[in-house]
């Protein structure tokens, strides 16, 4: 599996496995299945309520812990210095691990919901920097941070986030934010790379898929990795889990890339970090 080097020197697989809504037995089985098909990056979060299942799936896979890159996330209701430290311990316990490869602030505190949003994010970040120095987390990053949230964080941060995990798929790929992250040496990771299936009916994607004898899902995923963005598609079907990692025997040409780049807005979740938890 191709890997991407983060700004702290750690390496993360380019293709990983998402686990949102994979709970209990489904979570165990899908993680086991993903690892058996070659995935070495597993993405979970405290709010998914599946860290225990993910931990069990990883153990059941028989693959050594060190060969698997595990991401989990701090939920936005638990931001703050003390709380971040407590939450990390809880995640470690649920996953039954000694360390996390990547810990993310799941959503920033924002101006709409908090008077002192900059301080809340900064305090959480300081706790994460300390946890990283202690070796409990290898890499630290953020998720759903707009430029304004990153700029505020830079005011006090000693460590630049290694990753910003954001919504990124055909029809909504946050081009300016992505360019800004790259400029700051922050790797972009795509959530909902398949737009949860909402772009599958698109005729252009269907045509391109036919031409390459691939599925529309594979075209979406290939388009993202050709932007050097990490993907973590989720599936509970062993067949689709396998399909989503077989992306390296074809390539989209520049015309195809550009066609997809220019899609009008579609498949957007409606979740905006500057107003969340409200939706537009
Ligand atoms: P995805 O874009 O990965 O889409 C998942 C959906 O697509 C499921 O319904 C799945 O169904 C279906 N699917 C998967 N593969 C195929 C395929 N090859 N053909 C047809 N249908 C397919 O959505 P997610 O929202 O789950 O995003 C991926 C991951 O990103 C999450 O699981 C989570 O880990 C992370 N995430 C992070 C967020 C954040 O705020 N940081 C927000 C949202 C997600 P089936 O299971 O039946 O195959």
């Amino acid at each position: 599996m191709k890997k991407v080097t983060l700004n702290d020197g750690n390496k993360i697989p380019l293709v990983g496995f998402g686990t949102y809504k994979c709970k209990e037995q489904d979570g165990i089985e899908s993680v086991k299945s993903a690892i058996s098909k070659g995935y070495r990056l597993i993405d979970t979060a405290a709010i998914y309520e599946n860290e225990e299942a993910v931990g069990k799936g990883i153990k059941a896979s028989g693959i050594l812990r060190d060969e698997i890159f595990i991401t989990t996330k701090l939920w936005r209701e638990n931001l703050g210095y003390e709380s971040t430290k407590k939450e990390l311990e809880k995640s470690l316990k649920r996953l039954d691990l000694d360390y996390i490869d990547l810990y993310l602030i799941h959503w920033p505190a924002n101006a709409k919901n908090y008077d002192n949003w900059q301080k809340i994010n900064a305090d959480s970040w300081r706790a994460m920097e300390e946890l990283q120095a202690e070796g409990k987390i290898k890499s630290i990053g953020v998720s759903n941070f707009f430029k304004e949230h990153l700029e505020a964080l830079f005011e006090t941060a000693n460590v630049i986030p290694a990753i910003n995990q954001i919504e990124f798929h055909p029809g909504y790929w946050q081009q300016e934010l992505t360019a800004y992250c790259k400029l700051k040496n922050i790797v972009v990771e795509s959530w909902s790379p398949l737009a949860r299936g909402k772009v599958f009916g698109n005729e252009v994607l269907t045509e391109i898929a036919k031409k390459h004898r691939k599925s529309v899902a594979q075209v979406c995923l290939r388009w993202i990795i050709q932007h050097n963005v990490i993907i973590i598609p989720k599936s509970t079907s062993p067949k689709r889990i396998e399909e989503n990692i077989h992306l390296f025997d074809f390539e989209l040409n520049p015309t195809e890339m550009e066609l997809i780049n220019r899609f009008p807005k579609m498949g957007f979740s409606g979740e905006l970090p500057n107003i969340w938890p409200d939706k537009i």
Side-chain angles (χ1 to χ4, degrees):
M1 171 54 64
K2 219 175 142 185
K3 290 190 174 174
V4 176
T5 304
L6 302 172
N7 61 18
D8 56 16
N10 292 328
K11 290 185 192 322
I12 180 171
L14 182 60
V15 180
F17 185 68
T19 66
Y20 179 48
K21 292 198 174 159
C22 291
K23 279 196 188 181
E24 297 165 8
Q25 202 54 32
D26 252 5
I28 300 176
E29 291 307 323
S30 56
V31 167
K32 224 169 81 182
S33 168
I35 294 172
S36 77
K37 307 219 181 289
Y39 290 80
R40 291 294 180 271
L41 158 62
I42 310 290
D43 183 271
T44 180
I47 195 70
Y48 302 167
E49 296 179 344
N50 67 358
E51 289 175 309
E52 259 184 46
V54 167
K56 284 182 186 163
I58 291 167
K59 284 221 168 65
S61 75
I63 300 291
L64 290 176
R65 159 70 184 98
D66 288 359
E67 289 175 26
I68 303 182
F69 190 107
I70 302 163
T71 304
T72 193
K73 314 184 193 87
L74 170 71
W75 185 234
R76 64 170 184 82
E77 286 164 5
N78 297 321
L79 292 168
Y81 179 80
E82 292 297 339
S83 176
T84 298
K85 294 206 165 180
K86 280 189 200 140
E87 289 302 310
L88 188 266
E89 287 304 327
K90 287 190 206 164
S91 283
L92 283 172
K93 199 162 172 214
R94 287 189 293 255
L95 282 155
D96 195 16
L97 296 174
D98 305 326
Y99 69 90
I100 304 285
D101 294 277
L102 175 65
Y103 198 46
L104 304 177
I105 296 183
H106 204 147
W107 286 88
N110 60 42
K112 180 156 195 290
N113 295 288
Y114 302 85
D115 290 335
N116 54 347
W117 61 274
Q118 297 96 330
K119 184 173 182 320
I120 295 172
N121 291 332
D123 287 350
S124 310
W125 192 250
R126 184 162 50 88
M128 283 169 61
E129 288 175 338
E130 289 176 13
L131 291 164
Q132 183 184 35
E134 287 166 30
K136 291 187 173 171
I137 312 169
K138 301 277 183 202
S139 296
I140 54 178
V142 295
S143 178
N144 300 301
F145 270 50
F146 275 172
K147 188 177 174 196
E148 71 211 51
H149 306 117
L150 287 168
E151 279 175 341
L153 198 71
F154 295 155
E155 294 286 317
T156 52
N158 293 310
V159 176
I160 299 293
I163 292 253
N164 191 9
Q165 187 183 109
I166 59 174
E167 183 170 357
F168 187 117
H169 51 72
Y172 189 74
W173 57 296
Q174 309 199 60
Q175 198 170 355
E176 273 181 30
L177 176 58
T178 298
Y180 178 74
C181 288
K182 288 186 179 174
L183 189 74
K184 296 289 174 190
N185 208 11
I186 299 171
V187 169
V188 175
E189 185 174 33
S190 146
W191 63 255
S192 292
L194 301 170
R196 296 181 182 151
K198 283 181 275 182
V199 295
F200 284 174
N202 179 277
E203 281 177 17
V204 176
L205 290 175
T206 308
E207 273 309 304
I208 296 174
K210 254 194 222 156
K211 203 181 113 198
H212 288 279
R213 296 172 187 245
K214 292 284 165 189
S215 68
V216 170
Q218 286 170 316
V219 170
C220 288
L221 298 173
R222 180 74 209 186
W223 172 79
I224 302 173
I225 57 175
Q226 283 188 217
H227 276 293
N228 295 317
V229 166
I230 294 166
I231 50 171
I232 43 168
K234 170 264 171 189
S235 178
T236 41
S237 140
K239 184 179 158 286
R240 291 192 285 273
I241 291 175
E242 186 160 14
E243 182 183 318
N244 295 344
I245 200 175
H246 279 111
L247 306 171
F248 297 96
D249 57 353
F250 77 113
E251 194 174 346
L252 301 177
N253 66 38
T255 312
E256 291 165 335
M257 287 297 290
E258 196 52 30
L259 269 173
I260 305 174
N261 287 349
R262 288 168 184 266
F263 277 5
K265 191 170 183 178
M266 66 174 97
F268 173 47
S269 65
E271 293 162 5
L272 282 173
N274 54 352
I275 59 166
W276 173 264
D278 290 339
K279 282 198 171 203
I280 56 159

